[in-house]
Amino acid sequence: MSGRKNTTQGRKRARVQDEDDSPSLTPAVTKRPRLNDADSGSPLGDISPNPPSLISTAINGALNLGRRIVSGGPPTPEKQKPNGDLWEIPDSEDERSKKPAQPKKTNSTAKKLQKLAAKDRDDIYDVPDSGDELGTTPKLQRQRKTTAAASESKAKSSAKEIESSRGRRGRAAKEAADETQEEREEPTAADTPTKPRSAKRPPRPAAAKEPVEQDSGNEVKGKSLPPRFRRRKNSEGEWVVAEQKPKGILTPVGKNGDRARKNVAFNSVSGGKKGKGSFEEALSKASGSASKPARGRKPAAPKQVEVEVEAEDEDGSSAGEEGSEEEEDDEVCVVCSKPDSKRGNEIVFCDNCDSAYHQKCCGLAVIPKGDWICQNCSQDEVASAPTQGKAATVVAQETQKPDVPNFEQHLRAMQRVLLDRCSGRRRIKLIGQDDAYDKVYQLVEQTVVAGEGNSMMVIGARGCGKTTLVESIVSDLSEQHKDQFHVVRLNGFIHTDDKLALREIWRQLGKEMEVEDDLINKTNNYADTMASLLALLSHPSEIAEAHEGVTSKSVIFLIDEFDLFATHARQTLLYNLFDIAQARKAPIAVLGLTTRIDVVESLEKRVKSRFSHRYVYLSLPKSLPAYWDVCKQGLSIDDEDMAKEGIDVSLEGHSKFWKWWNGKLETLSKTSGFQDHLESHFYSTKSVPAFLSSCILPISSLSPTSPTLQIPSAGVSLSPPDSKLHVLEALSDLDLSMLIAAARLDIVAHTDTVNFAMAYDEYTSLMSRQRVQSATSGMVALGGGARVWGRGIASMAWERLVTLGMLIPAATVGRGAASQSGLDAKMWKTDVALEEIPAAVKLNAVLGRWCKEI
Amino acid sequence: MSSSLFQLPDELLFSTLAQTFPCRDAQIRTLGTLLHPSAAPCQNLVIYGTDATGKSAITSALLAKLENEELNDDGTGLKYAIVNSVECITSRHLFESAVAKVATALQWGHPPSKCETISQLTVELSKMLKYTPRPDGFRFVLVFDGIDRQREAPPTLLPALARLSEIIPCLTSTFIVTSPPANFLRTSFVPHLHFPNYTKPEFVAILATSPPPPLPNTTAQETTDLWARFAAAVHDALARAASRTLPSMQDACSALWPRFTAPILAGTHAPREFSKLLVASRIHFQDERLLDPSLLTTTTTTSLTPSLTDLASLLPTTARLLLLSAYLASHNATRYDLTLFSTHHHGRRRRRGGLSVTGVARGGHRAQRTKHRKIARKLLGAHAFVLERMMAIFTAVRGEWDAASFERDGDAGADVADVGMAVATLASLRLLVRVGGQTAGGDPLDRGGKWRVNVGWEVVRGLGRSMGVEIEEWLIE
């Protein structure tokens, strides 16, 4: 390390940051510019080759080790003097107090020590604080601290060493009264005398300072006061502002500041003086104007955890690296969320998940010896109530069966008809489409009867009844003019090119015209098929071989998804069909069904000119009553349709039953729930089939014992999912963590593509930050969120996300080089935005915070 | 049709199925209603849900029951065929297996020899189902399992399959998918049936149906109770946290159970003392290998394995050096090469590997203070480099990292055939990958060829440490 430092010193290339970078014992360090960016180069990098995330996770262990050593014996008076130690001891005690074997005793000792600590700490806070400390993010502070300590321990690797240095540091802090300064000192064993700088900076207002003292005192003195609430009461004014400053400074100022430095890797640091000036400017700016936006960013009642963290950082600066452990003092009962722990109602910790409970809240009369496990972990609810599965959903609501003879028979027959209608197997009447019906009917009839060639386009949205219209016309016509026409049905989805379509026409006509199979099979050639088809269709007089005196039958072509036929090469089929229709070679009618209103634009010129430009537009119901009129057919049968639908009118009780049923339907349609259901369908899609499908299950659940229709029903819904976000509910915590990490990178790092390595790196860094924040550092709780899963498991989670379509490949992955690189490097896009995740699934607190805090 | 009345499937059918598939009662009932010929058979039906939620299993079991039931009954009947897309390589394969399965289900005499397109599929199915007279209430259910994973599927495949039931009235097409996009069938409306993932009580209830054999010194009841509690604990510790599917939870439970009950067998704890057992086996609950069986196998084998899989012990020094220089070439920008490897000034390499200078972009924590932080270059994956550059780096680095052989061979040693063979070896092991036009071939030792390193950061770090090199110091972000 020293050799490295020498070179940097010796290089003297006027790089200011080089000084920062060397974590040295030389006095040069004290002259460092106090700039946020300035020390971002960090001693950490120089010392250890590991990425910081790795370090800090690894370090936690080291820290704990050190603490354990210290707290092994009873606290000795020498150790109680320096601040650092004071914070050390209660802490470790607390850790032990989790074992409720002797919580009382430990609590009391802890209290004593904490009182002492509070006293000592008061001294520290007597010195006016510099505003400087506000300029650094608490989290970063802490990280730097831990890593710095780690580097020490790595260098000398002795827990005692840490202890003593911390003690010295504490004293240094007292003298210097400059907390930030002191922090920066930490890496350099804190021996060098520091220059007090507080005079330069505006001292922190007294109002802002006092709550700190109070709170820290209260907090420590034994949980008798609910500190957070007090803090917030105090906090309305200055306090909140002071809390907010770190964030306000960090993010916007660094970007918009008047420092003209770019953030390129090599010169991330500016010159000393200029940097300092701009920093102070920024500081004053932040304390003045930035306070408002800062407060605006946080809601009026800030989250408890955040306040806790930040407050703790205030005193964390004097307490060395114990910042994270202090939170244990704030353990609140899971049940009542109060932190007070009194004799007889003490807080006990679960030995499995480390959550805190009041004795009374968990019904514990005596603190048990040995291990105690909370109800959550002991899975009592499982043992006590083995799940019965879901209770039968069909419960007979009413049993007032109307007094109708043959009731069951009537009901079953009605259900049959209604369900067939609802599931689309029986056509329902077209309502409000009479104009369109007449136009199309007339055109087709002209073709069939008079032998005209016709073409027409039927345009309308999905589910508005195009097919129903055309099919009912065909069936109506076939009643009158049976055997006078053929129908050929084509579908753009199925007949994906002209060759297929032509063969299909040939097949259907051949089937209807009873041409021999071998003739069909013989004409495999496209040209042959076309020629013979034309021969078949064309007027017999035009073809020499045809027999005289035979009139050809008319053919109706129903072309569904007409727009797809327009995409076929050269539109040969359409050209020929329209040509035949226009040139009166044969009596054919071409009916194109499509959803695209601009379908004619996609036709080639020669095709378009042969099209007759006759259109029929079908529209969805225009008003709610009209919509209900259509939908009603799925729930009731008109009198005139009874016979047609095959309902036995002569059966006894027929009219009585239908009177009863229609009365029921009338009352149902008046209820607000039903109205809402209908309106939601009308205003979202206007789709009749959608409404009818929602009636399938209610109708099929009718029975003679419970003949009351319930729409909307409470049971299973048949509606499609709104988005793929429903998948999120099925994901495990790790899957969600990886997804959130990937989605965060989109915002934080401004990349739209991520790979597994980036997401896992983000996940581990978030997780290690979480572990530092939470009290459970060092103790991996079983069910807790503080567990970092390994790379193997995380890659399984990543692959699961890929399978579920949450991640979509960024580049089209062929079999080439891209697929050969491993999981790490393959780039993906997240299909979910970060803000969508908390809305779609109920997250736990940790994951929720990751989604909110960028 | 006119004479038939509405009739729900037999209640017995539901109850037996619900025993086989616990916690899926509502789904079974709905599915039965929507598929049964005399209930409310739909034309199309979409069943969706994440993996391992019982979609396929319940559908096939229910259809088998319905088919058997109807055989005993009157003329109405139900036949079914299930086509699994995973088993079909191309869409043609899908069509042909669909036709073959339908033919088998209908005991059709002469299955067609080929079926290349959806149009032909329509024709063949129509022949079997439409043009052949069938009894009135006959339904055929054609299930397309995992159709969203069909390979080489044209975009019109799904809408076309959904049209089949319009053309053939007695057909019900059922699509089993993971997560259907909005209106993916391009029809007016299709009923969707959701199979949600199991909740914790459901997981426990399902596992409780198959308790392990009773432990030696306990009663069966005690074992069952303990098993249920244990399953719930496993759910909290492993399933909800990392892998929330039924199979992985079952695996984890069966793997953990012997270790969990070891204190009972040893007689230290009674089966009633769940909390003590839990604390005793807490370490096992944190074992990641439970969820990732592949990790399990590597450690159960002897200590030879790590050395066998470790690249550092497998490769000779030259190859290791080459791999390291390839990694540096892939992950460092070219413009820093001079800074890193030049000996121009004082004979000593001024390497300032990414640590002192950058600061901002290094690692996760550091960079959070900038609004948009840079992503560490090593996370971005390997970039392509020219072989010449790698060889140059290799030459520059060799003297420092592998002084012994450098002394021995001198500067000329870099070019000996040993190096060429090492490159070829690395390429054949696919540790180095030729980028672009690798099929075009040419000499693999062509100095102008582009290559990319194919090993990750962890491997390279280990490799570097095996030679006493911290590769991190040589990377510039």
Side-chain angles (χ1 to χ4, degrees):
Chain A
M1 197 161 83
S2 62
R4 177 101 188 78
K5 182 186 44 194
N6 284 340
T7 59
T8 46
Q9 294 287 332
R11 215 185 293 148
K12 278 285 180 203
R13 281 230 330 262
R15 275 197 183 276
V16 189
Q17 73 271 29
D18 276 355
E19 293 179 344
D20 277 310
D21 291 334
S22 56
S24 63
L25 300 165
T26 53
V29 184
T30 51
K31 288 178 200 159
R32 275 176 311 172
R34 345 168 85 278
L35 192 68
N36 267 338
D37 280 8
D39 65 344
S40 65
S42 95
L44 136 85
D46 266 345
I47 290 157
S48 65
N50 298 340
S53 58
L54 290 179
I55 292 187
S56 52
T57 46
I59 284 344
N60 277 336
L63 281 184
N64 281 334
L65 192 71
R67 208 185 319 123
R68 293 251 163 75
I69 292 170
V70 170
S71 60
T76 51
E78 309 97 80
K79 276 188 181 173
Q80 285 183 22
K81 262 182 199 166
N83 260 334
D85 282 353
L86 277 175
W87 281 97
E88 200 64 41
I89 292 152
D91 225 53
S92 47
E93 285 288 339
D94 249 28
E95 222 174 82
R96 258 189 287 149
S97 78
K98 267 180 225 149
K99 283 174 198 151
Q102 66 288 63
K104 253 185 223 172
K105 212 176 77 189
T106 48
N107 261 0
S108 59
T109 52
K111 266 184 228 169
K112 259 183 235 161
L113 294 171
Q114 283 161 352
K115 268 179 203 165
L116 272 173
K119 241 183 245 169
D120 250 14
R121 281 153 44 91
D122 283 354
D123 295 349
I124 295 169
Y125 280 97
D126 280 344
V127 193
D129 286 325
S130 68
D132 198 5
E133 60 162 313
L134 305 174
T136 48
T137 327
K139 284 165 200 165
L140 286 177
Q141 278 182 7
R142 215 177 311 131
Q143 275 165 11
R144 214 179 307 136
K145 264 176 269 156
T146 48
T147 46
S151 57
E152 276 176 22
S153 70
K154 209 176 176 188
K156 299 286 173 185
S157 73
S158 142
K160 259 199 171 170
E161 176 95 357
I162 301 180
E163 262 323 296
S164 60
S165 75
R166 206 181 293 138
R168 269 175 278 152
R169 221 180 301 135
R171 247 175 284 128
K174 225 184 280 174
E175 291 163 11
D178 187 338
E179 289 175 356
T180 326
Q181 180 68 26
E182 180 254 10
E183 258 172 50
R184 292 221 188 89
E185 244 47 280
E186 281 175 13
T188 80
D191 282 75
T192 49
T194 52
K195 206 166 68 180
R197 286 170 188 250
S198 51
K200 273 189 200 168
R201 257 161 264 108
R204 200 150 114 235
K209 189 183 56 185
E210 269 170 40
V212 187
E213 292 174 17
Q214 279 183 5
D215 282 338
S216 49
N218 286 340
E219 235 169 86
V220 172
K221 266 176 205 159
K223 305 173 175 177
S224 54
L225 288 171
R228 253 164 254 116
F229 300 127
R230 287 205 49 173
R231 189 177 301 144
R232 209 172 303 146
K233 252 175 232 165
N234 289 344
S235 67
E236 284 317 311
E238 295 271 1
W239 178 238
V240 168
V241 175
E243 296 274 69
Q244 290 309 315
K245 269 173 201 163
K247 275 192 182 167
I249 275 190
L250 250 197
T251 39
V253 169
K255 281 276 170 187
N256 69 357
D258 31 12
R259 311 169 252 185
R261 284 179 296 108
K262 277 189 182 170
N263 214 354
V264 184
F266 265 103
N267 57 348
S268 65
V269 178
S270 74
K273 278 202 171 176
K274 199 193 168 213
K276 200 201 285 181
S278 67
F279 179 68
E280 274 167 12
E281 252 176 58
L283 191 72
S284 59
K285 219 190 281 173
S287 57
S289 62
S291 65
K292 262 183 193 168
R295 205 195 307 193
R297 185 144 36 105
K298 191 174 271 191
K303 257 180 58 189
Q304 283 194 0
V305 192
E306 274 176 54
V307 176
E308 208 171 276
V309 167
E310 278 156 358
E312 155 214 307
D313 249 84
E314 287 287 312
D315 38 31
S317 51
S318 66
E321 47 265 16
E322 259 52 65
S324 58
E325 271 76 31
E326 272 177 39
E327 238 182 302
E328 283 195 358
D329 296 337
D330 291 32
E331 280 298 356
V332 293
C333 170
V334 173
V335 181
C336 64
S337 314
K338 282 180 190 158
D340 54 314
S341 174
K342 279 175 254 158
R343 183 176 294 247
N345 188 21
E346 292 187 44
I347 283 193
V348 289
F349 290 92
C350 170
D351 271 296
N352 198 29
C353 64
D354 279 345
S355 40
Y357 287 88
H358 276 128
Q359 268 179 287
K360 280 182 183 161
C361 291
C362 60
L364 211 60
V366 186
I367 296 175
K369 288 215 164 57
D371 297 324
W372 174 79
I373 283 185
C374 67
Q375 278 175 326
N376 239 356
C377 293
S378 64
Q379 317 290 0
D380 273 340
E381 80 274 20
V382 173
S384 60
T387 43
Q388 306 290 339
K390 273 178 189 153
T393 47
V394 190
V395 185
Q397 262 87 16
E398 299 167 65
T399 44
Q400 18 91 291
K401 176 180 163 186
D403 187 21
V404 174
N406 298 325
F407 179 74
E408 178 160 5
Q409 215 171 339
H410 283 301
L411 187 72
R412 294 304 188 196
M414 179 196 73
Q415 275 178 300
R416 178 78 273 139
V417 174
L418 294 187
L419 283 172
D420 281 354
R421 284 180 170 183
C422 285
S423 58
R425 294 194 300 132
R426 233 178 256 222
R427 272 201 299 278
I428 57 174
K429 272 189 305 180
L430 283 167
I431 291 181
Q433 313 277 24
D434 296 336
D435 277 359
Y437 182 88
D438 289 345
K439 267 170 110 173
V440 181
Y441 186 87
Q442 198 191 2
L443 179 131
V444 178
E445 196 180 28
Q446 285 295 321
T447 306
V448 172
V449 176
E452 283 179 7
N454 278 313
S455 54
M456 184 180 240
M457 215 60 80
V458 183
I459 300 174
R462 289 201 192 284
C464 71
K466 298 184 297 294
T467 312
T468 312
L469 175 88
V470 174
E471 291 295 338
S472 54
I473 285 172
V474 168
S475 62
D476 286 359
L477 271 176
S478 65
E479 280 171 16
Q480 296 172 27
H481 311 282
K482 212 169 166 61
D483 294 337
Q484 291 184 27
F485 64 97
H486 301 296
V487 181
V488 173
R489 294 181 175 85
L490 297 178
N491 192 311
F493 284 129
I494 292 176
H495 308 111
T496 45
D497 61 37
D498 278 351
K499 205 169 159 184
L500 285 176
L502 208 55
R503 289 187 72 171
E504 180 66 15
I505 294 172
W506 184 231
R507 192 191 66 84
Q508 289 190 16
L509 282 179
K511 187 142 191 83
E512 295 206 359
M513 293 177 169
E514 285 153 4
V515 184
E516 288 101 44
D517 273 359
D518 52 338
L519 186 64
I520 301 175
N521 294 333
K522 208 169 62 184
T523 55
N524 282 328
N525 187 321
Y526 181 66
D528 281 357
T529 319
M530 196 73 190
S532 49
L533 184 66
L534 285 175
L536 203 62
L537 291 178
S538 295
H539 206 273
S541 62
E542 288 181 15
I543 299 171
E545 301 94 52
H547 301 291
E548 289 294 325
V550 180
T551 54
S552 58
K553 272 186 182 179
S554 42
V555 180
I556 302 172
F557 287 89
L558 302 183
I559 305 185
D560 209 351
E561 311 296 336
F562 183 85
D563 45 329
L564 291 177
F565 282 93
T567 61
H568 296 171
R570 306 197 58 209
Q571 304 180 345
T572 322
L573 181 76
L574 295 184
Y575 173 79
N576 280 306
L577 285 180
F578 283 148
D579 192 48
I580 293 170
Q582 194 204 29
R584 297 170 187 258
K585 287 178 186 161
I588 68 166
V590 181
L591 291 180
L593 277 59
T594 182
T595 55
R596 292 190 51 179
I597 206 156
D598 60 343
V599 65
V600 180
E601 304 304 314
S602 58
L603 294 179
E604 282 176 22
K605 197 176 154 196
R606 60 194 183 110
V607 181
K608 204 194 284 181
S609 68
R610 281 162 175 79
F611 172 52
S612 70
H613 290 275
R614 278 194 264 193
Y615 308 99
V616 164
Y617 297 99
L618 295 188
S619 63
L620 292 165
K622 289 192 177 60
S623 64
L624 192 59
Y627 182 64
W628 169 230
D629 275 348
V630 183
C631 292
K632 208 174 175 181
Q633 293 182 73
L635 295 175
S636 178
I637 307 172
D638 290 342
D639 283 338
E640 61 258 34
D641 293 337
M642 289 289 180
K644 206 168 75 185
E645 299 288 5
I647 286 178
D648 190 4
V649 189
S650 58
L651 193 67
E652 193 190 350
H654 169 81
S655 57
K656 205 173 172 186
F657 173 80
W658 283 100
K659 200 176 158 207
W660 167 80
W661 174 254
N662 287 329
K664 282 287 234 187
L665 196 61
E666 194 66 22
T667 45
L668 175 71
S669 65
K670 292 284 191 301
T671 57
S672 67
F674 183 83
Q675 285 291 334
D676 288 347
H677 182 67
L678 189 70
E679 281 175 27
S680 76
H681 274 289
F682 177 72
Y683 289 118
S684 58
T685 59
K686 290 191 182 180
S687 166
V688 176
F691 177 82
L692 293 183
S693 299
S694 73
C695 301
I696 292 179
L697 288 183
I699 292 176
S700 60
S701 69
L702 293 181
S703 68
T705 47
S706 63
T708 308
L709 191 62
Q710 283 192 321
I711 299 174
S713 63
V716 182
S717 144
L718 291 182
S719 59
D722 283 338
S723 65
K724 60 167 62 167
L725 290 178
H726 71 91
V727 169
L728 290 184
E729 283 173 23
L731 295 181
S732 67
D733 286 350
L734 177 64
D735 299 338
L736 282 173
S737 309
M738 292 299 290
L739 186 63
I740 290 172
R744 274 176 67 93
L745 280 174
D746 197 355
I747 299 167
V748 179
H750 208 63
T751 58
D752 52 350
T753 56
V754 288
N755 59 20
F756 172 70
M758 286 153 66
Y760 188 67
D761 185 68
E762 174 79 7
Y763 164 70
T764 45
S765 75
L766 281 172
M767 216 52 189
S768 54
R769 223 195 305 169
Q770 176 60 35
R771 283 164 67 112
V772 172
Q773 275 177 20
S774 72
T776 54
S777 65
M779 289 185 75
V780 180
L782 194 142
R787 175 166 182 185
V788 183
W789 292 89
R791 220 180 161 83
I793 304 286
S795 67
M796 281 168 64
W798 188 257
E799 277 162 356
R800 181 140 198 257
L801 292 176
V802 171
T803 328
L804 293 178
M806 295 286 105
L807 300 168
I808 42 181
T812 49
V813 188
R815 289 181 181 146
S819 55
Q820 285 169 0
S821 59
L823 181 71
D824 270 12
K826 205 165 171 185
M827 300 306 280
W828 304 89
K829 276 182 183 158
T830 48
D831 208 19
V832 191
L834 188 60
E835 61 268 18
E836 287 175 332
I837 297 174
V841 64
K842 195 175 171 297
L843 298 168
N844 63 32
V846 176
L847 296 181
R849 207 179 317 149
W850 292 0
C851 288
K852 270 180 277 171
E853 294 170 7
I854 298 300
Chain B
M1 194 191 282
S2 57
S3 60
S4 68
L5 294 178
F6 172 80
Q7 191 188 1
L8 271 179
D10 198 0
E11 191 62 31
L12 189 68
L13 180 105
F14 289 143
S15 52
T16 49
L17 267 179
Q19 277 174 2
T20 330
F21 301 98
C23 309
R24 279 288 177 252
D25 198 37
Q27 277 80 15
I28 292 171
R29 276 173 191 282
T30 313
L31 201 56
T33 310
L34 294 178
L35 292 179
H36 193 275
S38 55
C42 331
Q43 294 188 316
N44 293 314
L45 175 64
V46 175
I47 298 172
Y48 71 101
T50 50
D51 44 350
T53 48
K55 304 184 295 292
S56 308
I58 288 176
T59 309
S60 59
L62 181 72
L63 283 171
K65 290 246 180 208
L66 286 178
E67 184 182 33
N68 286 334
E69 181 201 56
E70 294 307 318
L71 279 182
N72 313 334
D73 248 38
D74 51 351
T76 68
L78 181 140
K79 298 271 184 191
Y80 74 99
I82 297 178
V83 187
N84 197 343
S85 276
V86 179
E87 298 164 359
C88 302
I89 304 163
T90 59
S91 50
R92 175 177 173 179
H93 194 172
L94 177 80
F95 301 145
E96 288 188 348
S97 61
V99 169
K101 283 184 175 166
V102 173
T104 317
L106 292 172
Q107 289 155 354
W108 188 258
H110 350 276
S113 56
K114 62 174 185 177
C115 177
E116 290 171 33
T117 57
I118 183 76
S119 161
Q120 271 180 311
L121 176 73
T122 317
V123 173
E124 298 299 342
L125 290 184
S126 303
K127 269 187 203 162
M128 288 188 273
L129 295 167
K130 194 177 175 184
Y131 303 141
T132 314
R134 299 274 169 197
D136 232 5
F138 176 79
R139 297 293 293 176
F140 193 91
V141 180
L142 184 53
V143 182
F144 295 99
D145 196 352
I147 192 71
D148 52 344
R149 306 227 184 283
Q150 175 63 41
R151 304 173 71 174
E152 298 182 16
T156 54
L157 176 71
L158 277 168
L161 291 178
R163 296 300 186 284
L164 286 178
S165 55
E166 280 179 14
I167 295 165
I168 307 165
C170 67
L171 182 73
T172 297
S173 312
T174 306
F175 303 91
I176 300 181
V177 297
T178 303
S179 170
N183 200 12
F184 73 119
L185 295 179
R186 300 271 177 274
T187 56
S188 49
F189 189 84
V190 178
H192 286 61
L193 182 58
H194 188 198
F195 278 65
N197 204 354
Y198 299 103
T199 58
K200 178 181 170 184
E202 288 172 344
F203 270 125
V204 175
I206 291 169
L207 282 175
T209 53
S210 54
L215 298 162
N217 37 11
T218 59
T219 65
Q221 182 59 36
E222 277 174 338
T223 309
T224 317
D225 288 350
L226 186 66
W227 171 257
R229 283 183 170 215
F230 164 76
V234 170
H235 174 268
D236 283 354
L238 295 170
R240 191 184 56 207
S243 180
R244 210 168 139 193
T245 55
L246 191 57
S248 77
M249 187 169 160
Q250 273 167 335
D251 288 349
C253 279
S254 56
L256 254 179
W257 178 249
R259 297 184 231 173
F260 181 75
T261 52
I264 299 178
L265 295 181
T268 27
H269 293 304
R272 293 245 167 243
E273 298 171 306
F274 176 72
S275 50
K276 282 181 183 167
L277 285 169
L278 192 60
V279 172
S281 64
R282 208 165 116 167
I283 188 71
H284 299 308
F285 275 85
Q286 292 163 12
D287 196 352
E288 288 190 357
R289 291 172 300 174
L290 290 168
L291 297 175
D292 194 353
S294 68
L295 297 177
L296 201 64
T297 53
T298 54
T299 47
T300 46
T301 47
T302 53
S303 59
L304 267 176
T305 8
S307 67
L308 278 177
T309 54
D310 194 10
L311 271 183
S313 59
L314 285 173
L315 291 176
T317 316
T318 317
R320 273 187 280 171
L321 268 178
L322 277 170
L323 200 55
L324 289 181
S325 25
Y327 188 85
L328 289 184
S330 253
H331 290 261
N332 275 334
T334 320
R335 63 177 184 278
Y336 297 135
D337 281 355
L338 202 62
T339 324
L340 272 172
F341 305 111
S342 151
T343 54
H344 177 59
H345 268 314
H346 17 76
R348 196 179 180 288
R349 294 195 177 89
R350 294 191 337 238
R351 62 159 200 266
R352 289 174 306 161
L355 303 173
S356 55
V357 197
T358 60
V360 179
R362 302 195 35 74
H365 308 294
R366 218 29 67 177
Q368 271 145 19
R369 60 182 66 181
T370 53
K371 182 89 179 180
H372 294 307
R373 61 166 189 247
K374 285 174 91 181
I375 291 170
R377 202 176 148 95
K378 67 170 187 289
L379 298 176
L380 284 176
H383 296 238
F385 56 85
V386 185
L387 185 64
E388 182 74 53
R389 184 170 158 235
M390 184 193 88
M391 297 309 290
I393 293 177
F394 170 69
T395 319
V397 141
R398 193 165 170 237
E400 191 161 333
W401 289 356
D402 187 25
S405 77
F406 188 72
E407 301 285 310
R408 194 177 63 238
D409 299 344
D411 272 342
D415 245 350
V416 296
D418 187 26
V419 175
M421 203 173 81
V423 171
T425 310
L426 289 176
S428 72
L429 290 173
R430 307 206 67 74
L431 300 173
L432 284 182
V433 183
R434 189 102 190 250
V435 183
Q438 56 204 130
T439 48
D443 187 7
L445 292 183
D446 172 21
R447 287 289 178 103
K450 286 213 152 195
W451 293 77
R452 203 183 49 219
V453 73
N454 202 19
V455 289
W457 164 242
E458 266 73 25
V459 177
V460 163
R461 188 172 56 184
L463 210 59
R465 284 182 181 163
S466 75
M467 310 188 61
V469 178
E470 281 296 349
I471 205 76
E472 176 102 2
E473 296 174 18
W474 293 83
L475 288 173
I476 291 189
E477 300 292 344

